[in-house]
Amino acid sequence: MFLTVSQSPNLEELRAHIWGFLTSYEAGVGATLPESRKLVILDDVWTRESLDQLMFENIPGTTTLVVSRSKLADSRVTYDVELLNEHEATALFCLSVFNQKLVPSGFSQSLVKQVIGLL
């Protein structure tokens, strides 16, 4: 499951969605957890408070990956990732959107740079 949290998330809705994913249905009350492995990715987490409200600890077989621009205190394992350079960012964007590493002819190079945040 992949969720973007953002600066002003609806934490109750996100928490219910995560719980539904973890229990394989949306009824959070009285649910039993299935025996399976699940990965929850929380992207764009801005505050430790948001993270605390979205974490479900001690659920066997569940791993949570948190992506944040902020250093969130008390993290168990942290990987600092360097920003992509212009060439890498453009190639990744084009691969995702156009299924090729370069901006195709007919598309604006400057528009691509705006989308990936280089302008």
Side-chain angles (χ1 to χ4, degrees):
M1 158 180 271
F2 180 87
L3 292 172
T4 299
V5 178
S6 81
Q7 271 187 299
S8 53
N10 181 335
L11 293 174
E12 286 182 25
E13 183 179 309
L14 287 171
R15 187 168 171 80
H17 195 69
I18 294 168
W19 182 253
F21 170 74
L22 294 175
T23 59
S24 298
Y25 67 97
E26 294 297 328
V29 178
T32 59
L33 297 174
E35 295 293 326
S36 64
R37 298 185 54 77
K38 297 194 177 183
L39 173 64
V40 176
I41 301 172
L42 300 175
D43 182 41
D44 200 19
V45 178
W46 283 75
T47 66
R48 181 64 197 196
E49 294 76 24
S50 294
L51 178 60
D52 288 342
Q53 291 184 45
L54 297 174
M55 292 294 291
F56 287 90
E57 305 254 350
N58 303 322
I59 297 177
T62 299
T63 301
T64 302
L65 173 67
V66 179
V67 180
S68 178
R69 295 177 187 178
S70 306
K71 295 217 181 239
L72 303 173
D74 300 329
S75 59
R76 284 179 240 143
V77 180
T78 300
Y79 297 98
D80 290 324
V81 180
E82 305 229 355
L83 292 176
L84 299 177
N85 64 36
E86 180 179 342
H87 174 72
E88 294 166 330
T90 301
L92 179 60
F93 174 79
C94 289
L95 202 58
S96 298
V97 175
F98 307 118
N99 202 28
Q100 62 186 51
K101 290 185 178 182
L102 301 173
V103 178
S105 61
F107 284 91
S108 166
Q109 181 78 29
S110 65
L111 179 60
V112 170
K113 286 183 180 183
Q114 282 181 307
V115 171
I116 60 177
L118 294 175
L119 289 180

